[in-house]
Amino acid sequence: GENVEQHPSTLSVQEGDSAVIKCTYSDSASNYFPWYKQELGKGPQLIIDIRSNVGEKKDQRIAVTLNKTAKHFSLHITETQPEDSAVYFCAATSGRYKLSFGAGTTVTVRA
Amino acid sequence: GAGVSQTPSNKVTEKGKYVELRCDPISGHTALYWYRQSLGQGPEFLIYFQGTGAADDSGLPNDRFFAVRPEGSVSTLKIQRTERGDSAVYLCASSSTEQNTEAFFGQGTRLTVV
């Protein structure tokens, strides 16, 4: 099955700086890669996703890149704000429905 | 409804008891998923429904776990003879179809077995 590894496990950044989270996956058939943000006591919220036919996608301050050859993808948050503090999860799927999640990255934005 | 709704939000039960966790997906979503999230970990797949049928239950840990979706909307996850190791947050998600579309999660049910 799919194995997703995520790094770092914790990330502390100064407000206004950028944050980068990296994930690798094992199944070369994976073709859908969503990123979720989870705040304390809440369920994961989809913030951006990318499909295997696209190398990069951007939505305001958030961008995701995908390198299919190396089997890794990354989340980039620019101009971080205190409300960006949360746990972020990457995921991948080769099956059409079964998401495999990374272990999560706790992001803390220091004011 | 506006989003995926799960009830109860918290459930404390004694070891050996039976529990039911409910999920009300987004209206019109045919695909429904259950995941389990242990502390400090990412969600792990349990079971997937397309309509009323369980298309994939390969993630259920053992036969104490069972889920139904009789009318293709609300789903119930049932756990028999609960064990302390079952303590986790149980998440439900739904999507409009199974074809790599956005999965929207509920807030989860935090189950504590004492």
Side-chain angles (χ1 to χ4, degrees):
Chain A
E2 176 68 276
N3 181 46
V4 177
E5 295 192 355
Q6 182 172 347
H7 301 279
S9 58
T10 62
L11 181 59
S12 180
V13 296
Q14 189 70 37
E15 182 178 359
D17 287 352
S18 295
V20 180
I21 304 170
K22 299 182 179 182
C23 289
T24 60
Y25 61 98
S26 61
D27 188 348
S28 57
S30 286
N31 55 12
Y32 176 64
F33 307 90
W35 286 87
Y36 286 85
K37 175 183 180 182
Q38 188 173 30
E39 297 175 325
L40 197 62
K42 297 184 178 180
Q45 176 191 9
L46 180 69
I47 55 173
I48 195 167
D49 58 14
I50 191 167
R51 301 183 190 278
S52 59
N53 58 346
V54 175
E56 184 174 357
K57 183 177 179 181
K58 187 174 182 180
D59 182 4
Q60 299 183 350
R61 297 186 296 109
I62 295 174
V64 58
T65 59
L66 171 65
N67 183 326
K68 289 179 58 180
T69 303
K71 290 191 283 189
H72 67 70
F73 55 115
S74 301
L75 178 72
H76 304 252
I77 307 173
T78 59
E79 301 172 15
T80 52
Q81 301 169 2
E83 53 264 38
D84 294 329
S85 296
V87 180
Y88 291 80
F89 292 96
C90 62
T93 180
S94 57
R96 292 169 293 176
Y97 49 83
K98 187 186 299 185
L99 290 173
S100 295
F101 284 83
T105 297
T106 301
V107 174
T108 303
V109 179
R110 306 186 305 273
Chain B
V4 178
S5 177
Q6 292 187 246
T7 54
S9 55
N10 282 283
K11 176 70 176 179
V12 180
T13 190
E14 292 181 347
K15 179 176 178 293
K17 298 290 188 181
Y18 167 83
V19 295
E20 290 190 351
L21 312 180
R22 175 189 169 107
C23 172
D24 200 338
I26 293 172
S27 178
H29 280 193
T30 59
L32 184 146
Y33 321 82
W34 284 98
Y35 285 80
R36 180 167 72 174
Q37 186 175 25
S38 299
L39 191 63
Q41 299 296 318
E44 294 181 322
F45 171 82
L46 295 177
I47 187 170
Y48 157 65
F49 287 89
Q50 178 59 34
T52 60
D56 184 347
D57 64 358
S58 62
L60 295 178
N62 51 60
D63 61 6
R64 295 186 296 105
F65 289 74
F66 189 72
V68 296
R69 194 186 185 199
E71 298 179 356
S73 178
V74 171
S75 176
T76 304
L77 179 65
K78 307 180 180 190
I79 310 174
Q80 298 177 324
R81 305 183 302 280
T82 51
E83 300 177 356
R84 292 195 178 88
D86 298 336
S87 297
V89 175
Y90 289 82
L91 294 164
C92 177
S94 70
S95 64
S96 56
T97 71
E98 65 179 27
Q99 301 293 334
N100 281 353
T101 57
E102 300 176 5
F104 297 90
F105 282 83
Q107 84 283 6
T109 293
R110 180 174 297 279
L111 175 66
T112 303
V113 182
V114 297

